[in-house]
Amino acid sequence: MKLLVLLVVLAYSVTARIIDEKCDGIIVHNINHIKEVLKDNIDSPYQLAIDYDTNMLFFSYSSYDNVSKFISAYINLKTNEFQIIDGVNGGFANGVDGRSNTVYIGGNDGLYKFDFESKRAQHIDGTAHNIWQIFFKNDLYYTNYPLENVYVYKDGKSQRVPELLQTKAMLVAIDNNDNIYYSNSSGLFVHKKAKNYVTFLGDYNLNGITSDITGNLFFSTPDGIYFIDDKSKKIEKLATIPNIYGMAVESDGNIIYASQDSLVRLKPTKTHCFVNEKPEVEVF
């Protein structure tokens, strides 16, 4: 009997060890993902945005050559071609209009439009704000710094978003129902369009918010990535990732995130892993 118990314990230990070895990546929806480094040796990559037509990932990063400054760049997700974008004064924010295949870049003196032929950016007349973040959903939305106001740019003019005149916001996003999500030092909020009221969603410390190719919203904090499910009225924590700076979602659903010095793709494996802790869920 003692021998049988010993054999069971040994078998359990071996099985547990095998499971641990297979599940040593990042678990998303109970699937083990391995990390593929797309670009390294870049400091604090931020504000990720994908142009799905060209499969190019646009982002900014910090440079400390002589003086501290922000640099706009892109990487081709198929060829890994990397290039710095010239013509931007303090390039920091990035946004994509998927309908017209237009890439917008925010600098410290307004909006720029990326030219795919010259691989340069040109300043758009009528904009002069120091831009912190860009989000495109039917129109171009952006926030400025340090005032933390939210603007919409259309018909060649910028104007404050009426629903957010009485609040500050560092990051903003629009879902498929035209609800406005925004974050500031107090946390994450949503302005519901249908009933014209604001709901506090939690004291999340957002450093990035994005949509996938179908318009579903995701966001990142310094310790993980989240999914906003507006249909079920829940926020789901997808994965715990330390020292994350931002994220984007590829057309096939793969997640790309920015670490302190690199861009990383999460590639799903065929291994299913069941974690003990349940994903964090907030009801709103």
Side-chain angles (χ1 to χ4, degrees):
M1 185 64 178
K2 290 183 179 180
L3 178 60
L4 178 59
V5 172
L6 178 61
L7 289 174
V8 170
V9 171
L10 289 174
Y12 176 81
S13 299
V14 171
T15 302
R17 186 168 62 250
I18 291 174
I19 292 175
D20 287 341
E21 289 174 354
K22 290 183 178 180
C23 295
D24 58 355
I26 294 176
I27 314 303
V28 181
H29 286 149
N30 291 327
I31 296 177
N32 192 45
H33 288 65
I34 60 174
K35 295 187 287 186
E36 176 189 5
V37 177
L38 301 174
K39 176 66 179 174
D40 57 7
N41 296 320
I42 47 176
D43 186 49
S44 305
Y46 195 58
Q47 298 275 6
L48 281 58
I50 298 177
D51 175 37
Y52 293 114
D53 284 345
T54 60
N55 220 29
M56 292 165 64
L57 173 66
F58 293 82
F59 62 97
S60 67
Y61 68 97
S62 301
S63 174
Y64 299 97
D65 295 337
N66 298 322
V67 294
S68 176
K69 61 180 179 179
F70 296 110
I71 294 177
S72 296
Y74 72 81
I75 183 171
N76 188 307
L77 295 173
K78 287 186 177 180
T79 65
N80 267 26
E81 173 200 3
F82 165 78
Q83 184 167 318
I84 293 174
I85 301 172
D86 294 325
V88 185
N89 186 5
F92 189 66
N94 303 282
V96 179
D97 176 4
R99 299 171 305 177
S100 64
N101 189 218
T102 303
V103 175
Y104 295 96
I105 299 172
N108 59 24
D109 59 354
L111 291 167
Y112 292 76
K113 185 181 294 186
F114 177 73
D115 181 20
F116 283 91
E117 292 186 5
S118 67
K119 301 297 191 293
R120 293 178 57 87
Q122 297 178 342
H123 190 270
I124 298 176
D125 292 337
T127 63
H129 290 117
N130 183 11
I131 296 177
W132 183 266
Q133 182 242 355
I134 294 174
F135 189 91
F136 197 96
K137 182 72 172 183
N138 299 321
D139 292 305
L140 192 157
Y141 295 82
Y142 69 86
T143 63
N144 66 341
Y145 182 83
L147 296 180
E148 299 180 32
N149 294 324
V150 183
Y151 289 83
V152 58
Y153 178 82
K154 55 184 177 181
D155 300 325
K157 296 181 180 180
S158 293
Q159 63 183 22
R160 293 279 300 277
V161 173
E163 295 87 345
L164 304 182
L165 288 176
Q166 304 303 318
T167 189
K168 293 182 178 296
M170 292 292 287
L171 301 176
V172 64
I174 317 297
D175 70 8
N176 288 324
N177 298 311
D178 292 329
N179 300 311
I180 305 173
Y181 291 79
Y182 63 95
S183 69
N184 53 37
S185 59
S186 297
L188 177 63
F189 302 81
V190 59
H191 181 280
K192 305 291 285 188
K193 180 182 179 180
K195 297 184 178 181
N196 192 30
Y197 71 92
V198 174
T199 299
F200 175 65
L201 302 181
D203 58 351
Y204 299 99
N205 180 21
L206 271 70
N207 57 18
I209 190 164
T210 189
S211 62
D212 63 12
I213 196 169
T214 61
N216 296 311
L217 297 183
F218 299 76
F219 68 86
S220 61
T221 69
D223 66 353
I225 54 177
Y226 297 78
F227 169 60
I228 300 175
D229 190 343
D230 189 55
K231 293 182 180 179
S232 66
K233 310 302 179 186
K234 295 179 180 179
I235 294 178
E236 178 186 359
K237 187 171 187 179
L238 298 180
T240 297
I241 306 174
N243 300 319
I244 189 171
Y245 281 61
M247 65 167 295
V249 184
E250 294 187 89
S251 58
D252 59 5
N254 286 345
I255 293 171
I256 295 176
Y257 72 89
S259 69
Q260 186 174 1
D261 61 359
S262 59
L263 296 170
V264 181
R265 174 189 281 133
L266 294 181
K267 298 182 65 176
T269 68
K270 296 182 179 180
T271 302
H272 288 261
C273 305
F274 299 94
V275 294
N276 292 328
E277 60 179 3
K278 295 181 180 180
E280 182 178 342
V281 173
E282 295 285 346
V283 179
F284 60 93

